[in-house]
Amino acid sequence: MDIEISKETPEYSHDFPQHLCNMCGKCCKAITTPYTYEELQKLAKEGQEEAKVFVDIFKRYPSTEEAKKAVPDHVSNILKQLKKNNPNLNESKVVFYYCPHLTEDNKCSIHSIRPDCCRRAPRNGWSLFPENCGFKGWQFQQKERVKSTVRKLKEYIMELELLPQNTYIPARNMTAKELIDYIKEKIKPWNKYGAELW
Ligand code: SF4
Ligand code: SF4
């Protein structure tokens, strides 16, 4: 069973409604990744596609302070969110990047060939975007949809746990135990956002 996000609300009628972008340009001016600069370089050299694109496109700010100067609210917000997960975070160790392809009037100068990560941003409801981002409502909605789906999957697990674990589930061509494990794997990526408590 895949985690699917329904599309019943007309205003947000597809997964990446780019028209919601108000072109503030902040997400192109400050971006960070969970990797250190060196790890990112290494991954790119090893051929990891996302890392390669990232290294090709984005430029590194010389320091967190420089990033803060460029986009104070966005960078502060990112640091605040990162600190929630890691209270001992050393702000100065967080590497921020900017995109040199953003024009002065906040347009993408390589729009038609912009990388996939830009086409699909914000990737999900938890992506760290600025407070005034046009996708704020969309992100909220995405989070609620994912939470609802995960809750339904957990209910399904509870139903499956009531069965003898070797019961065959024809629709899935699995035993109850196999299906439970499969669903748990599907939920796992959301644990970093708190899915264990949903
Ligand atoms: S932060 Fe949001 S509104 Fe601003 S440019 Fe990025 S996607 Fe658009
Ligand atoms: S490639 Fe375009 S959309 Fe992507 S970060 Fe740069 S300016 Fe923004």
Side-chain angles (χ1 to χ4, degrees), residues 159-170:
E159 283 172 24
L160 290 166
E161 282 173 343
L162 296 175
L163 300 171
Q165 291 301 280
N166 60 357
T167 305
Y168 179 63
I169 314 289

PDB file of all heavy atoms in Angstrom, residues 159-170:
ATOM      1  N   GLU A 159      -5.582  -3.982  12.868  1.00  0.00           N
ATOM      2  CA  GLU A 159      -6.522  -5.024  12.416  1.00  0.00           C
ATOM      3  C   GLU A 159      -5.759  -6.285  12.027  1.00  0.00           C
ATOM      4  O   GLU A 159      -6.158  -7.394  12.378  1.00  0.00           O
ATOM      5  CB  GLU A 159      -7.319  -4.532  11.207  1.00  0.00           C
ATOM      6  CG  GLU A 159      -8.431  -3.576  11.575  1.00  0.00           C
ATOM      7  CD  GLU A 159      -9.068  -2.973  10.327  1.00  0.00           C
ATOM      8  OE1 GLU A 159      -8.988  -3.588   9.251  1.00  0.00           O
ATOM      9  OE2 GLU A 159      -9.622  -1.865  10.453  1.00  0.00           O
ATOM     10  N   LEU A 160      -4.653  -6.087  11.329  1.00  0.00           N
ATOM     11  CA  LEU A 160      -3.859  -7.248  10.887  1.00  0.00           C
ATOM     12  C   LEU A 160      -3.260  -7.989  12.077  1.00  0.00           C
ATOM     13  O   LEU A 160      -3.123  -9.220  12.059  1.00  0.00           O
ATOM     14  CB  LEU A 160      -2.741  -6.797   9.938  1.00  0.00           C
ATOM     15  CG  LEU A 160      -3.179  -6.313   8.558  1.00  0.00           C
ATOM     16  CD1 LEU A 160      -2.026  -5.585   7.855  1.00  0.00           C
ATOM     17  CD2 LEU A 160      -3.663  -7.485   7.696  1.00  0.00           C
ATOM     18  N   GLU A 161      -2.935  -7.251  13.116  1.00  0.00           N
ATOM     19  CA  GLU A 161      -2.326  -7.883  14.297  1.00  0.00           C
ATOM     20  C   GLU A 161      -3.309  -8.798  15.033  1.00  0.00           C
ATOM     21  O   GLU A 161      -2.909  -9.653  15.811  1.00  0.00           O
ATOM     22  CB  GLU A 161      -1.772  -6.803  15.239  1.00  0.00           C
ATOM     23  CG  GLU A 161      -0.438  -6.258  14.743  1.00  0.00           C
ATOM     24  CD  GLU A 161       0.069  -5.065  15.542  1.00  0.00           C
ATOM     25  OE1 GLU A 161      -0.734  -4.441  16.273  1.00  0.00           O
ATOM     26  OE2 GLU A 161       1.267  -4.755  15.423  1.00  0.00           O
ATOM     27  N   LEU A 162      -4.607  -8.578  14.781  1.00  0.00           N
ATOM     28  CA  LEU A 162      -5.610  -9.436  15.422  1.00  0.00           C
ATOM     29  C   LEU A 162      -5.701 -10.803  14.748  1.00  0.00           C
ATOM     30  O   LEU A 162      -6.265 -11.742  15.293  1.00  0.00           O
ATOM     31  CB  LEU A 162      -6.989  -8.760  15.372  1.00  0.00           C
ATOM     32  CG  LEU A 162      -7.110  -7.444  16.151  1.00  0.00           C
ATOM     33  CD1 LEU A 162      -8.475  -6.820  15.922  1.00  0.00           C
ATOM     34  CD2 LEU A 162      -6.880  -7.683  17.636  1.00  0.00           C
ATOM     35  N   LEU A 163      -5.162 -10.907  13.547  1.00  0.00           N
ATOM     36  CA  LEU A 163      -5.232 -12.169  12.785  1.00  0.00           C
ATOM     37  C   LEU A 163      -4.054 -13.076  13.154  1.00  0.00           C
ATOM     38  O   LEU A 163      -3.000 -12.574  13.566  1.00  0.00           O
ATOM     39  CB  LEU A 163      -5.133 -11.877  11.284  1.00  0.00           C
ATOM     40  CG  LEU A 163      -6.197 -10.983  10.664  1.00  0.00           C
ATOM     41  CD1 LEU A 163      -5.799 -10.639   9.225  1.00  0.00           C
ATOM     42  CD2 LEU A 163      -7.548 -11.669  10.692  1.00  0.00           C
ATOM     43  N   PRO A 164      -4.233 -14.411  12.983  1.00  0.00           N
ATOM     44  CA  PRO A 164      -3.039 -15.270  13.067  1.00  0.00           C
ATOM     45  C   PRO A 164      -2.028 -14.748  12.052  1.00  0.00           C
ATOM     46  O   PRO A 164      -2.394 -14.428  10.911  1.00  0.00           O
ATOM     47  CB  PRO A 164      -3.574 -16.651  12.677  1.00  0.00           C
ATOM     48  CG  PRO A 164      -5.046 -16.590  12.928  1.00  0.00           C
ATOM     49  CD  PRO A 164      -5.459 -15.168  12.700  1.00  0.00           C
ATOM     50  N   GLN A 165      -0.794 -14.630  12.440  1.00  0.00           N
ATOM     51  CA  GLN A 165       0.180 -13.909  11.610  1.00  0.00           C
ATOM     52  C   GLN A 165       0.520 -14.589  10.296  1.00  0.00           C
ATOM     53  O   GLN A 165       1.041 -13.968   9.381  1.00  0.00           O
ATOM     54  CB  GLN A 165       1.445 -13.623  12.420  1.00  0.00           C
ATOM     55  CG  GLN A 165       1.200 -12.603  13.533  1.00  0.00           C
ATOM     56  CD  GLN A 165       0.685 -11.264  12.982  1.00  0.00           C
ATOM     57  OE1 GLN A 165       1.468 -10.467  12.492  1.00  0.00           O
ATOM     58  NE2 GLN A 165      -0.625 -11.033  13.045  1.00  0.00           N
ATOM     59  N   ASN A 166       0.162 -15.902  10.192  1.00  0.00           N
ATOM     60  CA  ASN A 166       0.414 -16.564   8.901  1.00  0.00           C
ATOM     61  C   ASN A 166      -0.810 -16.518   7.982  1.00  0.00           C
ATOM     62  O   ASN A 166      -0.826 -17.149   6.930  1.00  0.00           O
ATOM     63  CB  ASN A 166       0.895 -18.004   9.102  1.00  0.00           C
ATOM     64  CG  ASN A 166      -0.136 -18.824   9.860  1.00  0.00           C
ATOM     65  OD1 ASN A 166      -1.177 -18.287  10.271  1.00  0.00           O
ATOM     66  ND2 ASN A 166       0.145 -20.100  10.040  1.00  0.00           N
ATOM     67  N   THR A 167      -1.839 -15.765   8.357  1.00  0.00           N
ATOM     68  CA  THR A 167      -3.039 -15.639   7.506  1.00  0.00           C
ATOM     69  C   THR A 167      -2.641 -15.036   6.156  1.00  0.00           C
ATOM     70  O   THR A 167      -1.921 -14.022   6.117  1.00  0.00           O
ATOM     71  CB  THR A 167      -4.079 -14.706   8.182  1.00  0.00           C
ATOM     72  OG1 THR A 167      -4.356 -15.211   9.471  1.00  0.00           O
ATOM     73  CG2 THR A 167      -5.355 -14.607   7.349  1.00  0.00           C
ATOM     74  N   TYR A 168      -3.122 -15.657   5.087  1.00  0.00           N
ATOM     75  CA  TYR A 168      -2.783 -15.164   3.744  1.00  0.00           C
ATOM     76  C   TYR A 168      -3.749 -14.041   3.352  1.00  0.00           C
ATOM     77  O   TYR A 168      -4.957 -14.178   3.482  1.00  0.00           O
ATOM     78  CB  TYR A 168      -2.870 -16.321   2.743  1.00  0.00           C
ATOM     79  CG  TYR A 168      -2.563 -15.909   1.325  1.00  0.00           C
ATOM     80  CD1 TYR A 168      -1.302 -15.420   0.973  1.00  0.00           C
ATOM     81  CD2 TYR A 168      -3.541 -16.006   0.328  1.00  0.00           C
ATOM     82  CE1 TYR A 168      -1.017 -15.044  -0.330  1.00  0.00           C
ATOM     83  CE2 TYR A 168      -3.263 -15.634  -0.983  1.00  0.00           C
ATOM     84  CZ  TYR A 168      -2.002 -15.156  -1.300  1.00  0.00           C
ATOM     85  OH  TYR A 168      -1.727 -14.778  -2.587  1.00  0.00           O
ATOM     86  N   ILE A 169      -3.199 -12.915   2.897  1.00  0.00           N
ATOM     87  CA  ILE A 169      -4.024 -11.777   2.456  1.00  0.00           C
ATOM     88  C   ILE A 169      -3.950 -11.763   0.925  1.00  0.00           C
ATOM     89  O   ILE A 169      -2.969 -11.244   0.350  1.00  0.00           O
ATOM     90  CB  ILE A 169      -3.503 -10.435   3.024  1.00  0.00           C
ATOM     91  CG1 ILE A 169      -3.171 -10.522   4.517  1.00  0.00           C
ATOM     92  CG2 ILE A 169      -4.462  -9.286   2.708  1.00  0.00           C
ATOM     93  CD1 ILE A 169      -4.355 -10.644   5.438  1.00  0.00           C
ATOM     94  N   PRO A 170      -4.972 -12.333   0.247  1.00  0.00           N
ATOM     95  CA  PRO A 170      -4.875 -12.505  -1.219  1.00  0.00           C
ATOM     96  C   PRO A 170      -4.646 -11.180  -1.951  1.00  0.00           C
ATOM     97  O   PRO A 170      -3.858 -11.134  -2.899  1.00  0.00           O
ATOM     98  CB  PRO A 170      -6.233 -13.105  -1.605  1.00  0.00           C
ATOM     99  CG  PRO A 170      -6.850 -13.566  -0.332  1.00  0.00           C
ATOM    100  CD  PRO A 170      -6.249 -12.808   0.790  1.00  0.00           C
TER     101      PRO A 170
END
